[in-house]
Structures are given as structure tokens and as C-alpha cells.
Amino acid sequence: MRTLFIIVLATLSVGCSSRSALDRHLDNAYKQYELGNCDQVMLELSQAERRSRPRDNLQPEISLLRGQCLERQGLFVDAVETYRFIGSRYPASEYAFRGRARLETLRQLGHYQPEERVVTTAVKP
């Protein structure tokens, strides 16, 4: 019984430290973004992603911050693809809404042209 208790306690402490490390990486990413250091942001986001794999609910937030950094670096095509990923994979999240807003801003600035829908009609021979 004592061994089981120790195993459970050890398992819980590993989960807590993993969550705190994930939070630390996300916090650091936001701090570095405020400072304009996108290289460090990308590093922190990569580390946060590795720790969040079992918790997929953080991926949209990580992706949105990554897209914002890509924009800041002038990598508009990559930013667009990142925002589109959020919208397709997590359509109901607040981050999908934010991603769509960023896409609209990029469109207005001339950095993004959504595909035009082509309507075809059948022609009788």
C-alpha cells in the first residue's frame, strides 16, 4: 500500500512540474514577443509544444502567437498558413476567430489574397 501511494504521489508531481514548465515557456514566449525577440519566441513556443502534446487544447494559442511573430518578421505567407491551420483544425476556438481577424487585416494591407471562387456552368454542345 505504501509503495502504491509513493508511485501515485510521484506521478502527480511529474504532471505538475510538466504543467508548470509549459506555463513558464508560454509566459516567456509572450514576454519575448513584447520585446520583439521573435527568435526567442519561436524557441519558447517549440518547447511549450513539446510539453503540451498530451494537451491539444493549447495548440491554437501557441499557433496564434507563432503566426503573429511570423507577421512581425515579414513572413506573411507562413503567417497566413498558420492562421488557416488554426481555423481548419480548431474552428470553434477563440484563436480561430483571432486568426480570421488577422487574415482580414493581412488582406486589407495587401499581404494576403484569398482564393477567388470560380463558378463554372455547363455548356451544352
Side-chain angles (χ1 to χ4, degrees), residues 70-118:
L70 289 166
E71 268 187 75
R72 188 175 275 182
Q73 293 174 315
L75 302 170
F76 300 112
V77 173
D78 294 331
V80 165
E81 289 305 312
T82 301
Y83 298 140
R84 292 172 81 192
F85 164 78
I86 298 167
S88 67
R89 182 94 185 263
Y90 307 95
S93 77
E94 77 174 272
Y95 299 102
F97 173 79
R98 291 180 183 186
R100 286 189 296 273
R102 292 304 315 149
L103 285 172
E104 178 58 22
T105 301
L106 289 173
R107 187 194 64 75
Q108 290 176 3
L109 294 172
H111 298 298
Y112 167 60
Q113 297 302 318
E115 298 88 24
E116 294 182 19
R117 295 180 188 251
V118 177

Side-chain angles (χ1 to χ4, degrees), residues 21-22 24-26 28-30 32-33 37-51 62 65-66 69 73:
L22 170 62
R24 186 179 69 248
H25 289 302
L26 276 175
N28 288 340
Y30 279 110
Q32 293 301 317
Y33 182 77
N37 187 355
C38 281
D39 290 335
Q40 190 63 34
V41 170
M42 295 301 191
L43 177 64
E44 293 291 343
L45 290 177
S46 292
Q47 292 173 343
E49 268 183 325
R50 276 189 234 114
R51 298 207 184 266
I62 291 169
L65 186 54
R66 177 173 281 123
C69 240
Q73 293 174 315

